[in-house]
Amino acid sequence: MMYYKHKLSYEIRKGLHYLFYLFAVAMCFHVPPSAIPNGGFIAPILGSCIVLYTLDACYVYIFMCEQIGTTAFSVLSSGVRISMPVSERFQKCARNGQGGYAYILIPWINDKQWHPFSLFEDPEDPSTQQMFLMKSGDWTSSVHKALSRDTTRPCWIKGPFPSPYSHASGYDNQILVASGIGITPALGAINAFKDSRRVNLIWAVRDPEMLE
């Protein structure tokens, strides 16, 4: 599988995943509903899932996407830090989820690729959300290579979606465990609960530069 991952482009691999959507639609017509109770459950059950998935995808693209025209890109040796002034809707949703994650599209790198990254709030400006893109894959390396210095350029953001720590508000004593770049959702939880909870962080890193 790793062989095909390196040989096929991102767009082709993602397009192949969407073939399951067509397969699911075809399965709805495989056994007629008239076969119930001896069969025929595929159409109503799988059909309902397809409808819910389609409605959810449409809602995200219509109501949860926004363009950020003044996105600040800060070039670091290990990656790129992105700072984005987001809308009030985005701020409210991100705060309720203690950070969460969002998909980002950078059109001057590739106008078709959306990639998910964890969010953390700027401690000095609640209206600004940040991401850290570690230089580890083809796309993140392309972003790092395209930026020779700190700059401001446009991008699209989709989200936010709930953080792994979204249930942390229900606990007084918290132990947050993160590794590497996984620290970003933990930062959101720390910032949200630092004044009202006892928060302990265990962070494992292999690159000392991440501690700077």
Side-chain angles (χ1 to χ4, degrees):
M1 293 300 294
M2 292 300 295
Y3 173 82
Y4 292 106
K5 180 178 180 181
H6 292 294
K7 290 295 182 180
L8 298 177
S9 67
Y10 174 88
E11 289 80 5
I12 293 177
R13 286 185 280 117
K14 185 175 181 180
L16 291 174
H17 279 79
Y18 282 122
L19 289 177
F20 180 78
Y21 190 91
L22 299 177
F23 173 77
V25 173
M27 286 294 294
C28 291
F29 298 94
H30 182 64
V31 179
S34 59
I36 296 175
N38 300 314
F41 296 101
I42 293 180
I45 295 176
L46 193 56
S48 298
C49 294
I50 294 172
V51 171
L52 290 174
Y53 173 84
T54 303
L55 291 175
D56 179 71
C58 291
Y59 179 86
V60 169
Y61 274 99
I62 295 172
F63 298 106
M64 297 180 67
C65 286
E66 54 188 71
Q67 184 181 32
I68 312 294
T70 56
T71 305
F73 293 83
S74 301
V75 182
L76 308 174
S77 59
S78 57
V80 178
R81 185 178 71 241
I82 299 177
S83 299
M84 304 167 289
V86 295
S87 65
E88 292 185 6
R89 176 204 65 83
F90 198 104
Q91 294 175 45
K92 182 179 179 181
C93 293
R95 192 170 296 115
N96 290 341
Q98 285 82 55
Y101 70 96
Y103 287 81
I104 186 171
L105 181 145
I106 304 180
W108 39 274
I109 296 295
N110 190 303
D111 60 1
K112 297 181 178 63
Q113 292 190 20
W114 290 89
H115 292 267
F117 291 93
S118 298
L119 296 163
F120 59 99
E121 188 178 277
D122 188 333
E124 298 180 356
D125 183 5
S127 66
T128 299
Q129 291 287 329
Q130 297 183 330
M131 290 179 171
F132 181 76
L133 279 58
M134 190 172 183
K135 186 179 59 174
S136 59
D138 295 340
W139 186 81
T140 50
S141 297
S142 297
V143 176
H144 189 269
K145 185 177 180 180
L147 299 171
S148 57
R149 59 182 176 81
D150 296 353
T151 185
T152 300
R153 298 189 186 183
C155 74
W156 285 84
I157 194 79
K158 181 169 64 177
F161 302 97
S163 163
Y165 300 105
S166 59
H167 300 291
S169 59
Y171 301 91
D172 293 329
N173 297 312
Q174 302 175 5
I175 300 178
L176 310 181
V177 181
S179 63
I181 195 58
I183 187 64
T184 46
L187 291 175
I190 292 172
N191 187 57
F193 303 122
K194 62 183 178 182
D195 297 325
S196 59
R197 305 286 196 280
R198 180 181 179 182
V199 182
N200 296 282
L201 174 66
I202 299 175
W203 185 24
V205 297
R206 61 180 179 180
D207 186 357
E209 292 184 357
M210 295 187 70
L211 297 174
E212 297 179 0

